[in-house]
Amino acid sequence: MEQIKANEINEIIRSQIENFDVSMTVDEVGTVIKVGDGIAEIHGLEKVMAGELLEFPFGVRGLALNLEEDKVGTVLFGDFQKIKEGDEVKRTRRIMSVPVGDAMIGRVVDALGQPIDGKGEILTDEFNPIERIAPGIIDRQPVKEPLQTGLKAIDAMVPIGRGQRELIIGDRQTGKTAVAIDTIINQKGKDVICVYVAIGQKASTVAQVVEKLRAFGAMDFTIVVSASGPDPAAF
């Protein structure tokens, strides 16, 4: 009986030795040597790329910009006040990018493309770098289709085409945002994807815009990007 138990133990030990995994995960890490005003200097990341996304503690992200011989200057995104000297920083080995694709439609995201609408993660494998060269004039499609705002006075006087830049200039509280929102709502059923970007606005104001778009069914073809007033300046 004791001999059988010993054989069983030997077989277990032998199988564990045969299946032993010696693979290691190697991360390039650096150390924060100086931090302040949303900027951090890091030592120890010799192979970091310009524009690379870096991971800090507490879910804070960084953008590597200033590459010097003995340190890396980084712009911080997130609650950078939690970052202090001596914190560990990891490389992600990818240029800073944001998710793209149909999964973004109907979502409210921050400046990094992270969802802030409480509807879970954005499931997409497609990413576009934040800093990229715009297509040249020859490569761009011609502006040949009209884009109707739904406001007869504007559509009668101002010809607007899809892909055309058009400024809405005016003083405060004169209805600039209302024109933009009405134009978005008017694109329903016209195969147009709309992106509403709110910079420096109150979060409550952005929430009201989102609710209005949702009430009219416009969030089915709209992406809302919000960098509200309390967010760090880097956003």
Side-chain angles (χ1 to χ4, degrees):
M1 191 71 177
E2 291 181 359
Q3 183 67 31
I4 294 174
K5 286 184 177 180
N7 290 337
E8 289 179 355
I9 293 172
N10 288 337
E11 286 296 326
I12 293 172
I13 294 174
R14 187 176 291 108
S15 65
Q16 288 179 343
I17 292 174
E18 289 174 352
N19 298 325
F20 181 67
D21 187 8
V22 295
S23 61
M24 293 185 299
T25 302
V26 180
D27 283 330
E28 278 192 60
V29 297
T31 306
V32 176
I33 56 176
K34 184 179 179 182
V35 63
D37 296 327
I39 304 294
E41 293 182 357
I42 305 162
H43 176 73
L45 294 180
E46 288 85 3
K47 297 181 180 179
V48 70
M49 300 178 288
E52 183 176 344
L53 185 67
L54 303 176
E55 289 185 354
F56 289 75
F58 307 106
V60 177
R61 301 293 181 93
L63 175 63
L65 289 179
N66 197 23
L67 306 183
E68 299 184 23
E69 187 174 349
D70 56 345
K71 62 184 178 181
V72 177
T74 308
V75 177
L76 300 180
F77 299 94
D79 191 1
F80 58 81
Q81 294 178 343
K82 294 182 179 179
I83 305 301
K84 60 184 184 301
E85 293 180 17
D87 282 345
E88 191 177 83
V89 185
K90 293 182 180 180
R91 287 187 61 192
T92 62
R93 290 182 173 82
R94 68 183 179 93
I95 299 299
M96 194 166 186
S97 55
V98 292
V100 295
D102 291 341
M104 297 286 287
I105 298 174
R107 302 301 300 269
V108 182
V109 299
D110 62 13
L112 296 180
Q114 303 298 316
I116 55 175
D117 53 7
K119 293 184 178 180
E121 293 185 16
I122 295 174
L123 302 177
T124 178
D125 296 327
E126 301 177 66
F127 290 85
N128 268 0
I130 289 179
E131 299 285 349
R132 66 194 196 120
I133 300 174
I137 298 296
I138 304 300
D139 298 326
R140 300 180 192 178
Q141 293 184 13
V143 177
K144 58 185 180 181
E145 287 186 66
L147 187 140
Q148 307 291 339
T149 66
L151 302 166
K152 290 182 180 179
I154 295 177
D155 292 334
M157 291 187 295
V158 184
I160 303 173
R162 293 189 188 183
Q164 172 186 327
R165 296 184 181 93
E166 192 73 44
L167 286 172
I168 306 175
I169 303 174
D171 293 330
R172 293 176 67 251
Q173 302 297 321
T174 55
K176 301 187 299 297
T177 300
V179 171
I181 293 173
D182 286 348
T183 303
I184 291 174
I185 294 171
N186 193 52
Q187 305 313 308
K188 189 172 183 177
K190 297 180 180 177
D191 194 27
V192 176
I193 302 298
C194 300
V195 183
Y196 181 87
V197 183
I199 302 174
Q201 296 187 26
K202 292 186 294 185
S204 59
T205 304
V206 179
Q208 290 174 1
V209 171
V210 172
E211 281 305 312
K212 185 171 183 180
L213 293 174
R214 187 170 285 124
F216 285 91
M219 284 301 291
D220 296 338
F221 53 88
T222 303
I223 305 165
V224 177
V225 183
S226 175
S228 58
D231 288 342
F235 279 120

